[in-house]
Amino acid sequence: MVIDPVARRTDGESVRIAKDVLCAGAATKICLPDGPEEYARALARRGHRRPVVIGDDRALLRAVALLHKERDLAGVALAVVPVGAPGAVALSRALGVPTDTVAAARTVLDGTEQSLHLLTDDSDGIVVGGLDIPSGTEEDGRPRRRKRSGGARLPGPREGAGEEAQDAAGALAPEEGPGADARPDAPAAWWRAPLRKARAALALLTARTRPAAGDPVATPGHRLRVEADGVVLADLDRPVRWVSVTPGDGADGSGLAEIVVHWQAAEPPVRARARAVTVSGADFRYRADVVVGGPVRTRTWTVQPDAWRLTLPHD
């Protein structure tokens, strides 16, 4: 049993419950690594024991990556008790592992091993759950908002032109502009009212020439070439919103990845299944499970069918 240090710090009570359930049901050796090197050493010294990870998705992925590096991933059945915030264990939940501590610990004792696919790339990286290639936006999917010197906020793409004009019209406070250092009780200068009207008119003109919210032109997209087993799904002459690749669950025995290309325009995405997918273009980043990689100009991901085993509930 390898207990991730982050889990021990963030939710010691869940860790204690998991230890109690597992120790009551089987002979257990507890390892408490304090860093990546000790974590790797604990897995390397597992012998014939089945490794059980107590921690979040990053702890699970760390174990999978280490076993893959040892080229022993297919020969080891992993088990995990997710401990962490809901967002930190989303991958474990998607794989079918219960996120309730007691239920997950009982699954370790009474569950069944299931073979799962994964993706490997040409730099020996792995993808367990899924791969997303964003389209150049911020990490939260929205453009970062800036502020003018006067403090008025530039609206993002979800806000309307009317709000922009209103913000711009009110952006110039009575104390701004020439003569701002005058006394607060001084009479209003003759130029302030015309200047305020001019600012409002300029904001309206700018809003009318800016793409409206929901307009596909409002987001620049990313120019990528996507090939699935040599078949071109998208090329550089047509920007895409994002590309998603999942290794599949192996239920149909095909051993193929599922590729979805989402376009900028409001039209159905392109879907394909292939053994290998190659993405190329200008420097782009990608999110493999919970890790952001890149920037790269080209990368190929290949499905590895039944490459690892995870203990899951019987149903």
Side-chain angles (χ1 to χ4, degrees):
M1 181 193 313
V2 182
I3 305 178
D4 186 67
V6 176
R8 302 200 304 265
R9 291 194 303 266
T10 58
D11 194 349
E13 180 64 16
S14 294
V15 170
R16 184 192 63 79
I17 294 173
K19 286 196 304 180
D20 291 347
V21 174
L22 294 175
C23 291
T28 305
K29 179 181 179 180
I30 300 175
C31 300
L32 304 173
D34 288 326
E37 294 182 358
E38 294 184 9
Y39 195 99
R41 193 179 304 120
L43 280 179
R45 295 176 178 176
R46 66 188 179 275
H48 296 289
R49 291 181 292 269
R50 179 180 51 158
V52 178
V53 176
I54 298 181
D56 58 11
D57 291 341
R58 291 183 180 272
L60 172 63
L61 292 172
R62 188 180 301 115
V64 174
L66 288 170
L67 294 173
H68 171 71
K69 186 177 181 180
E70 294 179 5
R71 298 298 184 258
D72 196 21
L73 183 57
V76 178
L78 272 172
V80 59
V81 178
V83 173
V89 297
L91 174 60
S92 299
R93 182 172 59 251
L95 292 172
V97 179
T99 54
D100 176 75
T101 303
V102 175
R106 289 176 177 169
T107 298
V108 173
L109 298 173
D110 305 326
T112 57
E113 301 174 5
Q114 182 172 333
S115 296
L116 301 174
H117 301 344
L118 58 75
L119 300 171
T120 57
D121 63 33
D122 43 19
S123 67
D124 205 29
I126 61 170
V127 182
V128 170
L131 169 75
D132 288 303
I133 302 177
S135 57
T137 58
E138 299 293 332
E139 289 189 1
D140 63 353
R142 293 174 296 176
R144 182 173 301 168
R145 294 183 174 181
R146 300 164 293 169
K147 290 186 177 181
R148 296 176 181 171
S149 59
R153 178 172 50 79
L154 284 178
R158 291 184 174 87
E159 293 177 326
E163 292 177 323
E164 180 176 8
Q166 183 177 1
D167 284 348
L172 187 65
E175 292 80 18
E176 293 179 351
D181 56 347
R183 301 187 316 275
D185 56 349
W190 64 270
W191 42 263
R192 287 183 179 171
L195 179 59
R196 188 175 293 110
K197 293 179 180 179
R199 290 285 296 272
L202 179 61
L204 286 174
L205 290 175
T206 305
R208 289 170 183 170
T209 58
R210 183 174 299 175
D215 191 335
V217 182
T219 306
H222 216 96
R223 296 188 180 274
L224 299 170
R225 180 181 176 90
V226 182
E227 302 173 69
D229 285 344
V231 178
V232 178
L233 304 181
D235 214 336
L236 302 176
D237 58 348
R238 187 180 183 187
V240 301
R241 290 177 60 197
W242 81 86
V243 180
S244 62
V245 184
T246 55
D249 57 7
D252 57 359
S254 64
L256 300 178
E258 300 176 0
I259 304 104
V260 183
V261 179
H262 301 265
W263 303 108
Q264 285 294 99
E267 58 182 288
V270 173
R271 302 177 182 272
R273 306 186 73 186
R275 191 167 301 276
V277 55
T278 299
V279 180
S280 56
D283 291 346
F284 62 90
R285 296 184 181 274
Y286 57 90
R287 183 179 296 275
D289 296 322
V290 297
V291 181
V292 176
V296 296
R297 293 192 175 183
T298 182
R299 182 125 292 172
T300 298
W301 290 270
T302 305
V303 181
Q304 306 297 332
D306 300 329
W308 68 300
R309 289 179 293 156
L310 184 65
T311 303
L312 297 174
H314 289 287
D315 54 358

